[in-house]
Amino acid sequence: MEHKEKEIEELWSYFFKKPRNNYNPYMLRLLDFPDYILFKKKMMNDYKGKWKEFFGNDNPIYLEIGTGSGNFTKEIAKRHPERNFIGLELRFKRLCLAASKCQKESLNNVVFLRRRGEELAEFLEKEELSGLYINFPDPWEGNEKNRMIQASLFSSLDSLLKVGGILFFKTDHDQYYQDVLTLVDTLEQYQVIYHTSDLHQSEKAENNIKTEFEHLFLYKHNKNINYIEIQKVK
Ligand SMILES: C[S@@+](CC[C@H](N)C(=O)[O-])C[C@H]1O[C@@H](n2cnc3c(N)ncnc32)[C@H](O)[C@@H]1O
């Protein structure tokens, strides 16, 4: 019991500066998935340029920002054993659920990092990324400067994403969709190679992997799903 209390204290003080009065039990469960979840920044940063050593192969690396509970990550990793996947998520419970799904399938090409999408350059080397998925990011209505997809993301992809690499973006938010199309139009190194405002009525529907939020928007709110593929062309 004392040992457990010490573990909680250590983890709490790793993540939070404020004193502990209660804690999220999923914080401690991060420790149950050592092969699937990294939460210490230094460890992630030490893999910069060396993720092939982590995965034990030279396969291309794809990254997802904001995996949620990991349905998409688990499924795409299963479909593509010839690729490696790094999933970023901040919430403890979602990280544990995602890791648990991948563990059940014994996947060896996925890892989840408790890390912000804004910090890619701290743990990825130049041209280490072959592709990027961003599914249903927060649209930050009224506070759009906080959005994940904005000019600063492309500035870091200028260095981190290989030429030919693709950013895949899905959103229920029609204005976010339009804003990203407009933004990419201003960027010389990137080109929209596919877009639709109704993914589920498009030719891409058949191979589409639905995320948890996508289920919600589709079936509960009967909402059209917007989808864009953006390629780095030079
Ligand atoms: C709206 S949810 C979508 C989750 C999942 N992609 C889906 O479609 O079901 C957005 C997710 O991004 C995570 N998130 C928010 N800001 C983030 C950031 N800066 N870096 C990484 N993940 C973030 C949230 O914790 C949340 O799980």
Side-chain angles (χ1 to χ4, degrees), residues 65-66 134-139 169-173 176 199-200 208-215 217-218 223-226:
I65 299 178
I134 305 184
N135 295 320
F136 303 91
D138 193 328
F169 168 49
K170 290 198 263 188
T171 182
D172 60 299
H173 198 275
Y176 202 168
L199 172 60
H200 292 272
N208 177 54
I209 299 169
K210 292 192 195 89
T211 76
E212 288 86 354
F213 273 71
E214 191 165 352
H215 265 277
F217 291 123
L218 266 178
K223 178 76 189 65
N224 64 300
I225 303 299
N226 303 286

Side-chain angles (χ1 to χ4, degrees), residues 104-147:
K104 273 193 195 121
E105 304 274 352
S106 305
L107 296 177
N108 59 7
N109 58 339
V110 192
V111 66
F112 294 93
L113 313 185
R114 187 177 185 275
R115 199 70 189 256
R116 305 192 69 85
E118 292 84 349
E119 296 173 356
L120 300 183
E122 292 175 33
F123 62 91
L124 290 171
E125 191 51 87
K126 204 165 171 267
E127 297 187 5
E128 203 169 14
L129 262 195
S130 292
L132 177 67
Y133 294 91
I134 305 184
N135 295 320
F136 303 91
D138 193 328
W140 286 97
E141 270 179 28
N143 241 326
E144 287 77 6
K145 64 175 181 358
N146 293 334
R147 282 180 177 171

Side-chain angles (χ1 to χ4, degrees), residues 26 29-38 67-71 73-75 78 89 91-108 110-113 212:
Y26 286 95
R29 283 205 54 207
L30 296 181
L31 300 171
D32 294 346
F33 304 97
D35 296 337
Y36 287 100
I37 300 178
L38 301 184
T67 62
S69 310
N71 264 4
T73 330
K74 182 257 304 168
E75 195 51 40
K78 238 172 99 173
E89 177 52 57
R91 294 202 188 199
F92 299 134
K93 183 174 179 181
R94 291 180 185 175
L95 277 168
C96 293
L97 290 172
S100 161
K101 286 172 191 166
C102 294
Q103 191 174 53
K104 273 193 195 121
E105 304 274 352
S106 305
L107 296 177
N108 59 7
V110 192
V111 66
F112 294 93
L113 313 185
E212 288 86 354

Side-chain angles (χ1 to χ4, degrees), residues 132-169:
L132 177 67
Y133 294 91
I134 305 184
N135 295 320
F136 303 91
D138 193 328
W140 286 97
E141 270 179 28
N143 241 326
E144 287 77 6
K145 64 175 181 358
N146 293 334
R147 282 180 177 171
M148 184 53 58
I149 305 188
Q150 53 172 303
S152 56
L153 174 71
F154 288 100
S155 303
S156 57
L157 294 183
D158 286 351
S159 143
L160 306 177
L161 185 62
K162 289 185 170 47
V163 172
I166 297 176
L167 177 125
F168 304 86
F169 168 49

Side-chain angles (χ1 to χ4, degrees), residues 36-50:
Y36 287 100
I37 300 178
L38 301 184
F39 57 84
K40 294 200 166 157
K41 280 193 177 184
K42 177 166 179 344
M43 196 184 268
M44 302 170 202
N45 295 355
D46 285 348
Y47 278 114
K48 180 171 173 152
K50 298 184 201 150

